[in-house]
Amino acid sequence: MILTLEALHIIDAIDRAGSFAAAARELDKVPSALSYTVRKLEQELDVLLFDRRGHKARLTNAGSELLNEGRTLLRAAAELERRVQHTASGWEVQLHIVLDSTIDFERLRPLIADFDREVSGTSLHFSSEVLSGVWESLLTGRADLAIGAAHDSPDLVRMSGNFQTRQLGTIDWVFAVAPGHPLAQLPEPLDAATIQQYRAIAVGDSGRSLPDITAGLLSSQPRLTVPSMQAKLAAQLAGLGCGHLPAALAAPYLQSGQLLARQTAVAKTPTVAHLAWRSAARGKCLKWFLQRLAQPDVAAMLLG
């Protein structure tokens, strides 16, 4: 007899229940059927799996080794069954969502709570990228859905014909500095030549293969490059440099006086944030998110 999942289920039940009789009741089988399966397996493996002395069936060392590894197989089989059932029902096993750094994950929590009520069983995987890194995640298959992708899609995305995009909304920007920064004391509006003298805080493009995208930086301006929008905010709060921040992100710090908004001679135009996904994707989870993200109140929640 080849080692089967049924045999592993029986050994697992006997170990948990403590006896052949209790395991038989749990599995809705007669005790003799369990005894036959175990003895047959013991004969073919030429090992003793249970010490039957006393009232409690105890695994031998060989039995423990078999069951420890066997439970891994049982879990894998159960997961495979779940994935097959999900696929048949139209729900994805998992959905990978990449956020642009301008989208604060905290704002997604109400949407995720709503999705959980669908009881779909789909696992959600979130990651964060910056500028071209968002598009690169889609192109390489690391993400199924991009939220907040800045700027128009690169040529590789447009020319492939494999992706669809849709505007999510616009992000307003404010030029902000800490109260102790030199630019906080200079007369407004601040011109480019003045701003250029001071270090800018920039979020580094996380793409590796696509051309870098830069936004709001002056040529030859010294800069401090940080990995995320939250890191940029922290650096500007600390007075380490200047730069534009999403208005919604900066708002509480402007209200508290931890940051000061400064008018510039040339204002930064609002950025259009996009949704992007693979055209061939048909799963229910992706469709659910696209439908919800099309609602103005949800887009406003994400963009602030």
Side-chain angles (χ1 to χ4, degrees), residues 44-79:
E44 298 202 359
L45 294 176
D46 195 23
V47 297
L48 190 64
L49 298 176
F50 284 97
D51 182 350
R52 295 168 176 79
R53 293 173 298 181
H55 298 291
K56 185 177 177 62
R58 300 181 183 278
L59 287 168
T60 62
N61 290 338
S64 295
E65 180 66 19
L66 176 66
L67 185 56
N68 286 339
E69 296 298 323
R71 280 173 172 158
T72 300
L73 295 176
L74 291 175
R75 287 192 293 269
E79 175 63 16

Side-chain angles (χ1 to χ4, degrees), residues 8 25 28 37 52 119 158 180 187 241 256 261 295:
L8 290 174
R25 289 192 295 271
D28 195 23
T37 298
R52 295 168 176 79
V119 195
R158 289 194 299 272
S256 67
Q295 299 175 5

